[in-house]
Amino acid sequence: MSFKVTVIGAGSVGFTKTLISDLLKVPEFVDCEFALTDINPHNLDMVRQIIETIVSVNKLPAKVTATTDRRAAITGARYIMSCVRVGGLEAFATDISIPLKYGVDQCVGDTICAGGILYGQRNIPVILDFCKDIREVAEPGALFLNYANPMAMNTWAAEMYGGVNVVGLCHGVQHGAHQIAQVLGVDDSELDYVCSGINHQTWYIDIRAKGRKIEKDELIAAFERHPVYSRQEKVRIDVLKRFGVYSTESNGHLSEYLPWYRKRPEEIGRWIDMSDWIHGETGGYLRYSTERRNWFETDFPMFKEQANKPLSEYKRTSEHASYIIEAMETGRPYRGHFNRRNNGIITNLPDDAIIESPGYVDRFGINMIEGITLPTACAATCSVSVSVQRLSVEAAMTGDIDTLKLAVLHDPLVGAICTPDEVWAMVDEMVVAQAQWLPQYAEAVPAAKERMASSTVKTRDWEGAARKRVRSVEELREMSGAHH
């Protein structure tokens, strides 16, 4: 069989290589067309060389195209994947640095919290441009597979306003399940689970190891005796003790989605681990990304060398995309965890929410398992985030800066730290700093600048409570430069 798969943001070289390699492991897909598109022609050319090498070495009939013309790449596509970051590292630096001035200490800042909300404002207009192209020039009924964060907001906008068939995909569930298997001393294949909630706040509500149900106390004991995770996952273990269920997300991610662990600078060190950024370092993902901003240049020879190896030596990853497409095209069923509109799938979350929950895929498409009820504490914390996401999407669609300020005000961590006046001032400053990526707020920017000039809200020069390597805001901006 032959059909067209488009990757938007294909200049994310390593991830694009993974997604397409996974697809080429499906025997029926070796003669498909893979259309790569990105706004960065240099990165696009690198990934084109890698994919063409894989196809050539393995003597496959697959066709590879690369173009900066997104609409041309989408034309005739049956499946469209997005892995874009609008604003690149330059905008990301302000997602972290400006909230720090107001006391908001984020580790990642790409899902909710002040940074994630502004990230959504930048991404949603672009996501809707993708949807317009998909409606107009892709195959009728094409599936849009969104890998970009903030996952729930992007998928919400595409589903509600984009007019396309969309699914949001993340690998957090698989990674957390691997941890659970490790602490229980079983192989991944011996672990069964139901994981449900919203993206990055998903909960393992039923766990079976070799068919035996694992209860809360056994799981707590297993994590606490693990020599590594007992140090690195303090927030997740504490939440497990209090909520009774384990969360999918890393220590650093989870700590910024909740109002309790990062609100007092003197307390943050108690909950994070500095062995790696993902365990809670202040601005950890920004530092990691900035210092590795040219990793694709240095690793390009390695990727080319790997591409020269036969696909028989490549192990297909656990990323959902290739399995979804395989199930829809061949009828071989696949069970995974997908981001879709709720509509009663989770009984105690709002119907309009984008939830992440189990589903099955076959020729009939993606079919979610309905009637799941989350533990009350999990539903409570997810519901707060859903309200923030709903306000954020509304703000992105209308360009109403007051709605945006309400979204940030209701964020759990921001609300635990900032007064309303501080939130209003912080959002003004972020919108002004990111104006070039926020076309919907163009009319609001002049007034925001005037308010900034007369603001009496006090800020501070603060690098955060958990810095592995201290860098000034100016240095971060200089390092990120024009890498959009």
Side-chain angles (χ1 to χ4, degrees):
M1 59 182 65
S2 179
F3 51 87
K4 185 177 180 180
V5 178
T6 299
V7 182
I8 307 173
S12 177
V13 177
F15 195 53
T16 300
K17 173 181 176 292
T18 294
L19 293 175
I20 294 180
S21 296
D22 284 350
L23 284 165
L24 289 173
K25 289 290 285 188
V26 181
E28 291 91 343
F29 296 170
V30 295
D31 59 350
C32 286
E33 177 181 351
F34 299 98
L36 314 174
T37 186
D38 198 281
I39 61 173
N40 185 321
H42 177 59
N43 289 16
L44 186 61
D45 184 63
M46 285 195 295
V47 74
R48 177 192 59 77
Q49 292 181 53
I50 290 167
I51 303 305
E52 284 183 345
T53 300
I54 293 171
V55 169
S56 174
V57 166
N58 290 278
K59 297 180 173 58
L60 302 176
K63 179 181 178 182
V64 181
T65 61
T67 178
T68 55
D69 183 343
R70 184 186 70 230
R71 193 174 175 88
I74 292 174
T75 298
R78 187 175 298 175
Y79 301 97
I80 301 94
M81 305 184 199
S82 171
C83 41
V84 299
R85 172 178 278 281
V86 177
L89 293 174
E90 186 180 354
F92 190 13
T94 61
D95 286 340
I96 302 300
S97 62
I98 293 174
L100 270 176
K101 294 168 60 177
Y102 296 84
V104 181
D105 187 318
Q106 303 165 100
C107 172
V108 185
D110 72 353
T111 300
I112 56 168
C113 211
I117 293 169
L118 267 292
Y119 188 18
Q121 305 307 296
R122 301 194 300 272
N123 267 25
I124 285 172
V126 175
I127 291 288
L128 293 179
D129 285 343
F130 299 169
C131 292
K132 180 176 183 292
D133 287 346
I134 292 168
R135 290 195 311 270
E136 293 177 354
V137 299
E139 262 195 26
L143 178 63
F144 179 35
L145 303 99
N146 175 62
Y147 267 106
N149 284 322
M151 173 62 64
M153 295 181 206
N154 289 343
T155 307
W156 195 318
E159 196 278 335
M160 180 171 285
Y161 300 103
V164 299
N165 183 19
V166 61
V167 61
L169 302 178
C170 181
H171 43 230
V173 172
Q174 299 98 297
H175 290 179
H178 178 66
Q179 277 192 347
I180 293 171
Q182 284 185 302
V183 301
L184 293 175
V186 299
D187 292 334
D188 288 6
S189 61
E190 297 173 313
L191 190 76
D192 296 297
Y193 52 88
V194 173
C195 193
S196 190
I198 64 173
N199 180 243
H200 288 184
Q201 291 181 53
T202 326
W203 310 89
Y204 298 94
I205 58 177
D206 194 344
I207 300 171
R208 313 288 173 107
K210 297 182 178 180
R212 183 176 63 84
K213 186 173 177 62
I214 305 299
E215 301 291 352
K216 167 187 170 182
D217 290 344
E218 180 179 355
L219 192 60
I220 292 170
F223 271 101
E224 288 191 323
R225 68 172 173 261
H226 194 277
V228 177
Y229 296 144
S230 59
R231 271 188 305 106
Q232 294 178 340
E233 306 291 1
K234 297 171 188 174
V235 171
R236 292 168 91 176
I237 293 170
D238 191 64
V239 170
L240 168 61
K241 290 177 178 177
R242 299 178 193 278
F243 285 31
V245 287
Y246 196 61
S247 166
T248 51
E249 285 317 300
S250 67
N251 206 68
H253 264 306
L254 186 59
S255 70
E256 65 186 9
Y257 304 150
L258 303 171
W260 313 302
Y261 299 99
R262 302 186 76 92
K263 67 179 179 179
R264 296 177 187 160
E266 67 274 14
E267 281 282 307
I268 291 177
R270 175 183 169 196
W271 296 108
I272 61 95
D273 177 83
M274 296 297 284
S275 62
D276 196 3
W277 68 265
I278 202 168
H279 309 309
E281 177 191 346
T282 298
Y285 189 46
L286 173 62
R287 177 189 65 78
Y288 174 82
S289 301
T290 301
E291 292 177 355
R292 285 175 54 85
R293 67 197 182 285
N294 290 325
W295 67 272
F296 40 80
E297 300 280 1
T298 55
D299 287 359
F300 180 60
M302 179 193 72
F303 283 138
K304 280 293 292 288
E305 182 181 348
Q306 291 175 345
N308 276 293
K309 296 179 180 178
L311 273 171
S312 59
E313 297 181 13
Y314 174 78
K315 183 179 179 182
R316 191 176 178 186
T317 72
S318 61
E319 294 292 346
H320 293 302
S322 70
Y323 297 97
I324 290 173
I325 296 173
E326 178 183 9
M328 292 180 70
E329 293 295 330
T330 70
R332 293 191 286 268
Y334 172 62
R335 179 186 183 275
H337 291 75
F338 313 122
N339 288 267
R340 303 281 271 186
R341 186 179 175 91
N342 187 23
N343 287 337
I345 294 165
I346 299 176
T347 62
N348 50 350
L349 288 184
D351 280 348
D352 62 338
I354 297 297
I355 52 89
E356 187 169 84
S357 203
Y360 288 87
V361 193
D362 54 23
R363 289 192 189 276
F364 296 97
I366 300 170
N367 303 283
M368 304 296 286
I369 299 171
E370 298 182 356
I372 292 174
T373 300
L374 294 178
T376 305
C378 300
T381 195
C382 284
S383 294
V384 174
S385 295
V386 167
S387 295
V388 172
Q389 292 161 354
R390 184 186 296 110
L391 279 165
S392 299
V393 173
E394 180 183 340
M397 294 302 302
T398 61
D400 184 345
I401 196 169
D402 291 327
T403 302
L404 176 59
K405 290 173 178 178
L406 287 171
V408 178
L409 180 70
H410 283 86
D411 178 82
L413 182 57
V414 173
I417 296 166
C418 294
T419 67
D421 284 345
E422 289 168 339
V423 172
W424 259 235
M426 176 172 64
V427 173
D428 277 343
E429 189 171 350
M430 294 183 81
V431 167
V432 168
Q434 299 184 14
Q436 63 181 301
W437 304 288
L438 298 173
Q440 71 271 51
Y441 292 101
E443 294 183 3
V445 169
K449 288 181 177 178
E450 289 181 12
R451 289 190 295 269
M452 286 174 62
S454 60
S455 176
T456 58
V457 173
K458 293 183 179 180
T459 61
R460 50 180 151 165
D461 183 13
W462 189 45
E463 288 291 338
R467 283 283 186 185
K468 189 166 187 178
R469 181 177 302 179
V470 176
R471 295 191 184 280
S472 68
V473 174
E474 291 73 20
E475 186 179 4
L476 283 170
R477 287 176 177 164
E478 183 179 343
M479 289 178 69
S480 56
H483 297 278
H484 298 271

